[in-house]
Amino acid sequence: MTFTRKVADLVPIEDTVFAVVDLANKEAQRIGPENVVNATIGALYDEKGELVAYKSVFDHYNLISNKIKAKYAASFVGNDSYRNQVYQWVTQGADIHLAHRVIATPGGSGAVSMTFSNILDANETVILPHIAWGSYKLMATQNNFDVKTYSLFEGDHFNLDSFKFVCSEVLNKQKKLLVVINDPCHNPTGYSMTRKEWDEVISFLNKCSEIGPVVLIDDIAYIDYAYDIPQSRKVMEAFNHISDNVLISVAFSSSKTCTSYGLRCGAAVLLAKKEESVREVEIVFEKHARAVWSNIPNAAMDNFTWVTTDNYFNFLSEKQDYIDLLKERSSIFMEEASKVGLDVYPYKEGFFITVKCKDNKQRDALHEQLIKHHIFTVKVNLGIRVAICSCSIEKTKGLATAIKMLID
Ligand code: PLP
């Protein structure tokens, strides 16, 4: 007898990331941390191997009164001060003239999953990148969606042909599109699309929208670790050109921006040409919030607002130090990769670099070899993810060479 719903997937989650993190920790205990390269963890770590928790974020959080922490949020869609500030923050420096609404969510995960659940019906198809954050697939399965994937790259740029092909195929059948783009700082490749690539995507989605409604999720989880922050916002001006039948749900993670992964806070920023389009989706999202998580931690929202306004310069300066650190670690890896001829997906910025594998068999063999050599990474589709966000400069040096040697 089964107690769960008929369509429930009873196979336990195989959390490949946590399994290998655990393996790395055990190996560090056995042979000493200095002999292990742990490039598994997808959170920001400093040069001493400690999780980064910004002073500019947490000192103030700790001063928030117990009553504010205890209080319910002002509404199911979040505190107005937070919603306004998220919109300012996400679009800072970009001239966006679209109707918009912001709904507070538990992290970026909440924004993506809420959009999945309320845009498509069961047995419809969501379109994802072929190399992607694993949770998208889980969210799709939980909603009983089918998944189609577009190939992300053609050479060293966005594969527009594949994107068009897959969207057209789904559109012809379904007369509606829900498509995910994770940009900038794509997880796990570190790719960021150019303005020209965004223009081409938007112009194509506009054409699609002549046949049926089009919803684009732009997952910007890592946007605040882009190497060119103004540019990360400027490209959003491409969104101004969407047609009436296109809606964009920008999934923002205040948890990632503020290195407060456990303090669940994020938002779905809805953008559309018409006021009534964003309002309609907001009504449905509010009910979803009420039914699933009710409200978002009051103090997490208030803290984000304070950190990004009153404490703006301290926060930016502290965060910039870590962006510079990411730049340094990634340059070491990329320069070495290029020198030794290690094939990686086109990396531009962000937390991760991914080594190319010709198939998943080669990937599995390489991953195993790396573990034997005390190098811990994460397997992704057709690649090996190296989390430079948590790997010190010292440990990054020589890493590309070691991986290349094991491939050969
Ligand atoms: N999107 C991507 C690509 C991610 O990698 C993650 C987390 O790892 C998220 C969204 C969700 O982040 P959170 O829910 O912690 O804000």
Side-chain angles (χ1 to χ4, degrees), residues 42-43 105-112 132-136 139 180 182-188 219-222 251-257 260-267 351-352 385:
T105 58
S109 306
V112 177
W133 182 45
S135 294
Y136 298 141
M139 290 176 191
V180 176
N182 171 205
D183 189 84
C185 312
H186 172 260
N187 175 7
D219 181 349
I220 60 164
Y222 297 92
F252 170 67
S253 169
S254 121
S255 304
K256 286 241 181 333
T257 294
S260 50
Y261 315 98
L263 190 59
R264 310 298 302 148
C265 195
F351 276 33
F352 310 108
R385 184 186 89 173

Coordinates of all heavy atoms in Angstrom, one line a residue, residues 42-43 105-112 132-136 139 180 182-188 219-222 251-257 260-267 351-352 385, ligand 1:
G42 N 29.0 24.8 -3.4 CA 28.5 25.8 -4.2 C 28.2 27.1 -3.4 O 27.2 27.8 -3.8
A43 N 28.9 27.4 -2.4 CA 28.7 28.6 -1.6 C 30.1 29.3 -1.5 O 31.1 28.7 -1.7 CB 28.2 28.3 -0.2
T105 N 9.7 35.5 -2.1 CA 9.7 34.0 -2.1 C 10.8 33.5 -1.2 O 11.8 34.2 -0.9 CB 10.0 33.5 -3.5 OG1 11.3 34.0 -4.0 CG2 9.0 33.9 -4.5
P106 N 10.8 32.2 -0.8 CA 11.9 31.6 -0.1 C 13.1 31.3 -1.0 O 13.1 30.3 -1.6 CB 11.3 30.3 0.5 CG 10.1 30.1 -0.2 CD 9.7 31.3 -1.0
G107 N 13.9 32.3 -1.2 CA 15.1 32.1 -2.1 C 14.7 32.2 -3.5 O 13.5 32.3 -3.9
G108 N 15.7 32.0 -4.4 CA 15.5 31.9 -5.8 C 14.7 30.6 -6.1 O 13.9 30.6 -7.1
S109 N 14.9 29.6 -5.3 CA 14.2 28.3 -5.6 C 12.7 28.5 -5.5 O 11.9 28.0 -6.4 CB 14.5 27.3 -4.4 OG 15.8 27.1 -4.3
G110 N 12.2 29.3 -4.6 CA 10.8 29.6 -4.4 C 10.2 30.3 -5.7 O 9.1 30.0 -6.2
A111 N 11.0 31.3 -6.2 CA 10.6 32.0 -7.4 C 10.5 31.1 -8.6 O 9.5 31.2 -9.4 CB 11.6 33.2 -7.7
V112 N 11.5 30.2 -8.8 CA 11.4 29.4 -10.0 C 10.3 28.4 -9.8 O 9.5 28.2 -10.7 CB 12.8 28.6 -10.2 CG1 12.7 27.6 -11.3 CG2 13.9 29.6 -10.4
A132 N 22.5 22.2 -16.5 CA 21.7 23.2 -15.7 C 21.8 22.8 -14.2 O 22.1 21.6 -13.9 CB 20.3 23.2 -16.2
W133 N 21.3 23.7 -13.4 CA 21.1 23.4 -12.0 C 20.1 22.3 -11.8 O 19.0 22.3 -12.5 CB 20.5 24.7 -11.3 CG 20.3 24.7 -9.9 CD1 21.1 24.1 -8.9 CD2 19.1 25.2 -9.2 NE1 20.5 24.3 -7.7 CE2 19.3 24.9 -7.8 CE3 17.9 25.8 -9.6 CZ2 18.3 25.3 -6.9 CZ3 17.0 26.2 -8.7 CH2 17.2 26.0 -7.3
G134 N 20.4 21.2 -11.1 CA 19.7 20.0 -11.0 C 18.2 20.2 -10.5 O 17.3 19.4 -10.9
S135 N 18.0 21.2 -9.7 CA 16.6 21.3 -9.1 C 15.5 21.6 -10.2 O 14.4 21.4 -9.9 CB 16.6 22.4 -8.1 OG 17.4 22.0 -7.0
Y136 N 15.9 22.2 -11.3 CA 14.9 22.5 -12.3 C 14.2 21.2 -12.7 O 12.9 21.2 -12.8 CB 15.5 23.1 -13.6 CG 16.2 24.4 -13.5 CD1 17.4 24.6 -14.2 CD2 15.7 25.5 -12.7 CE1 18.0 25.8 -14.2 CE2 16.4 26.7 -12.7 CZ 17.6 26.9 -13.4 OH 18.2 28.1 -13.4
M139 N 11.9 20.1 -9.9 CA 10.7 20.9 -9.9 C 9.7 20.5 -11.0 O 8.5 20.5 -10.8 CB 11.0 22.4 -10.1 CG 11.7 23.0 -8.9 SD 12.2 24.7 -9.2 CE 13.3 25.0 -7.9
V180 N 13.3 28.3 -19.4 CA 14.3 28.8 -18.4 C 15.6 29.2 -19.0 O 16.2 28.4 -19.8 CB 14.5 27.7 -17.3 CG1 15.6 28.2 -16.3 CG2 13.2 27.3 -16.6
N182 N 19.2 30.7 -17.4 CA 19.9 31.0 -16.2 C 21.1 31.9 -16.5 O 22.1 31.5 -16.9 CB 20.4 29.7 -15.5 CG 21.3 29.9 -14.3 OD1 22.0 29.0 -14.0 ND2 21.2 31.0 -13.6
D183 N 20.9 33.2 -16.3 CA 21.8 34.2 -16.8 C 21.7 35.5 -16.0 O 20.6 35.9 -15.7 CB 21.5 34.5 -18.3 CG 22.6 35.4 -18.9 OD1 23.6 34.8 -19.4 OD2 22.4 36.6 -19.0
P184 N 22.8 36.2 -15.6 CA 24.2 35.9 -15.9 C 24.8 34.8 -15.0 O 24.1 34.3 -14.1 CB 24.9 37.2 -15.7 CG 24.1 37.9 -14.6 CD 22.6 37.4 -14.8
C185 N 26.1 34.5 -15.2 CA 26.8 33.6 -14.3 C 26.1 32.2 -14.2 O 25.8 31.8 -13.1 CB 26.9 34.2 -12.9 SG 27.5 35.9 -12.8
H186 N 25.8 31.7 -15.4 CA 25.1 30.4 -15.4 C 25.8 29.3 -14.5 O 27.0 29.2 -14.5 CB 25.2 29.9 -16.9 CG 24.7 28.5 -17.1 ND1 25.5 27.5 -17.3 CD2 23.4 28.0 -17.2 CE1 24.8 26.4 -17.4 NE2 23.5 26.7 -17.4
N187 N 24.9 28.6 -13.8 CA 25.4 27.5 -13.0 C 25.1 26.2 -13.9 O 24.0 26.0 -14.2 CB 24.5 27.4 -11.7 CG 24.9 26.1 -10.9 OD1 25.8 25.4 -11.2 ND2 24.1 25.9 -9.9
P188 N 26.1 25.5 -14.2 CA 27.5 25.4 -13.7 C 28.6 25.9 -14.6 O 29.8 25.7 -14.3 CB 27.7 23.9 -13.5 CG 27.0 23.3 -14.7 CD 25.9 24.2 -15.0
D219 N 16.6 33.1 -14.5 CA 17.1 32.8 -13.1 C 18.4 33.6 -12.9 O 19.5 33.3 -13.5 CB 17.4 31.3 -13.0 CG 17.9 30.9 -11.6 OD1 18.2 31.8 -10.9 OD2 17.9 29.7 -11.4
I220 N 18.4 34.6 -12.1 CA 19.6 35.5 -11.9 C 20.2 35.3 -10.6 O 20.8 36.2 -10.0 CB 19.2 37.0 -12.0 CG1 18.1 37.4 -11.0 CG2 18.7 37.3 -13.4 CD1 18.0 38.9 -10.8
A221 N 20.1 34.0 -10.1 CA 20.6 33.7 -8.7 C 22.0 34.3 -8.4 O 22.2 34.7 -7.3 CB 20.6 32.2 -8.5
Y222 N 22.9 34.3 -9.4 CA 24.3 34.7 -9.1 C 24.7 36.0 -9.6 O 25.8 36.4 -9.7 CB 25.3 33.6 -9.7 CG 25.1 32.3 -9.1 CD1 24.3 31.3 -9.6 CD2 25.8 31.9 -7.9 CE1 24.1 30.1 -9.0 CE2 25.6 30.7 -7.3 CZ 24.8 29.8 -7.9 OH 24.6 28.6 -7.3
A251 N 13.9 35.5 -11.5 CA 14.1 34.8 -10.2 C 15.3 35.3 -9.5 O 16.4 35.0 -9.9 CB 14.1 33.3 -10.4
F252 N 15.1 36.0 -8.4 CA 16.1 36.7 -7.7 C 16.4 36.0 -6.3 O 15.4 35.6 -5.7 CB 15.8 38.2 -7.4 CG 16.7 38.9 -6.5 CD1 18.0 39.1 -6.8 CD2 16.3 39.3 -5.2 CE1 18.9 39.7 -5.9 CE2 17.1 39.9 -4.3 CZ 18.5 40.2 -4.7
S253 N 17.6 35.8 -5.9 CA 18.0 35.2 -4.7 C 18.7 36.2 -3.8 O 19.9 36.4 -3.9 CB 18.9 34.0 -4.9 OG 19.4 33.5 -3.7
S254 N 17.9 36.7 -2.8 CA 18.6 37.6 -1.9 C 19.5 36.8 -0.9 O 20.5 37.3 -0.4 CB 17.6 38.5 -1.1 OG 17.6 38.3 0.2
S255 N 19.2 35.5 -0.8 CA 20.0 34.6 0.0 C 21.4 34.5 -0.6 O 22.4 34.5 0.1 CB 19.4 33.2 0.1 OG 18.1 33.3 0.6
K256 N 21.5 34.4 -1.9 CA 22.8 34.3 -2.6 C 23.5 35.7 -2.6 O 24.7 35.7 -2.3 CB 22.6 33.9 -4.1 CG 22.2 32.4 -4.2 CD 23.3 31.7 -5.0 CE 23.0 30.2 -5.3 NZ 22.2 29.5 -4.3
T257 N 22.8 36.7 -2.9 CA 23.4 38.0 -2.9 C 24.0 38.4 -1.6 O 25.1 38.9 -1.5 CB 22.3 39.1 -3.3 OG1 21.9 38.8 -4.6 CG2 22.8 40.5 -3.1
S260 N 23.5 34.5 2.6 CA 22.7 34.0 3.7 C 21.8 32.9 3.2 O 20.6 33.0 3.2 CB 21.9 35.2 4.2 OG 21.2 35.9 3.2
Y261 N 22.5 31.9 2.8 CA 21.8 30.8 2.1 C 20.7 30.1 2.9 O 19.7 29.6 2.4 CB 22.8 29.7 1.6 CG 24.1 30.3 1.0 CD1 25.2 30.5 1.7 CD2 24.0 30.7 -0.3 CE1 26.3 31.1 1.2 CE2 25.1 31.3 -0.9 CZ 26.3 31.5 -0.1 OH 27.4 32.1 -0.7
G262 N 20.9 30.1 4.2 CA 19.9 29.5 5.1 C 18.8 30.4 5.5 O 17.8 30.0 6.1
L263 N 19.0 31.7 5.3 CA 18.0 32.7 5.7 C 17.1 32.9 4.4 O 17.4 33.8 3.6 CB 18.7 34.0 6.1 CG 17.9 35.1 6.8 CD1 17.2 34.6 8.0 CD2 18.8 36.3 7.1
R264 N 16.2 32.0 4.2 CA 15.5 31.9 2.9 C 14.8 33.2 2.5 O 13.8 33.6 3.2 CB 14.5 30.8 3.0 CG 15.1 29.4 3.5 CD 16.2 28.9 2.7 NE 15.7 28.7 1.3 CZ 16.5 28.9 0.2 NH1 17.7 29.2 0.4 NH2 16.0 28.6 -1.0
C265 N 15.3 33.8 1.5 CA 14.7 35.0 1.0 C 15.0 35.3 -0.5 O 16.2 35.1 -0.9 CB 15.2 36.2 1.9 SG 14.3 37.7 1.7
G266 N 14.0 35.6 -1.2 CA 14.3 35.9 -2.7 C 13.0 36.6 -3.2 O 12.2 37.1 -2.4
A267 N 12.9 36.5 -4.5 CA 11.7 37.2 -5.1 C 11.5 36.8 -6.6 O 12.5 36.5 -7.3 CB 11.8 38.7 -5.0
F351 N 30.5 31.7 -9.9 CA 31.0 30.7 -8.9 C 31.6 29.5 -9.5 O 32.3 28.8 -8.8 CB 29.7 30.3 -8.1 CG 29.4 31.2 -6.9 CD1 29.6 32.6 -7.0 CD2 28.8 30.7 -5.8 CE1 29.2 33.4 -5.9 CE2 28.5 31.5 -4.7 CZ 28.7 32.8 -4.8
F352 N 31.2 29.1 -10.7 CA 31.6 27.8 -11.2 C 32.3 27.8 -12.6 O 31.9 28.6 -13.4 CB 30.4 26.8 -11.3 CG 29.6 26.8 -10.1 CD1 28.3 27.5 -10.1 CD2 30.0 26.2 -8.9 CE1 27.5 27.5 -8.9 CE2 29.2 26.2 -7.8 CZ 27.9 26.8 -7.8
R385 N 32.0 19.9 -12.7 CA 31.9 21.3 -12.2 C 33.0 21.6 -11.1 O 33.1 20.8 -10.2 CB 30.5 21.5 -11.5 CG 30.3 22.9 -11.1 CD 29.0 23.1 -10.3 NE 29.2 22.8 -8.9 CZ 28.2 23.0 -8.0 NH1 27.0 23.4 -8.4 NH2 28.5 22.8 -6.7
Ligands
PLP1 N1 19.2 29.0 -9.3 C1 20.4 28.5 -9.4 C2 21.0 28.3 -10.7 C3 21.0 27.9 -8.3 O1 22.2 27.4 -8.4 C4 20.4 28.1 -7.0 C5 21.0 27.5 -5.8 O2 22.0 26.8 -5.8 C6 19.2 28.7 -7.0 C7 18.6 29.2 -8.1 C8 18.4 28.8 -5.7 O3 19.0 29.5 -4.7 P1 18.3 29.8 -3.3 O4 17.0 29.1 -3.3 O5 19.2 29.3 -2.3 O6 18.1 31.3 -3.3

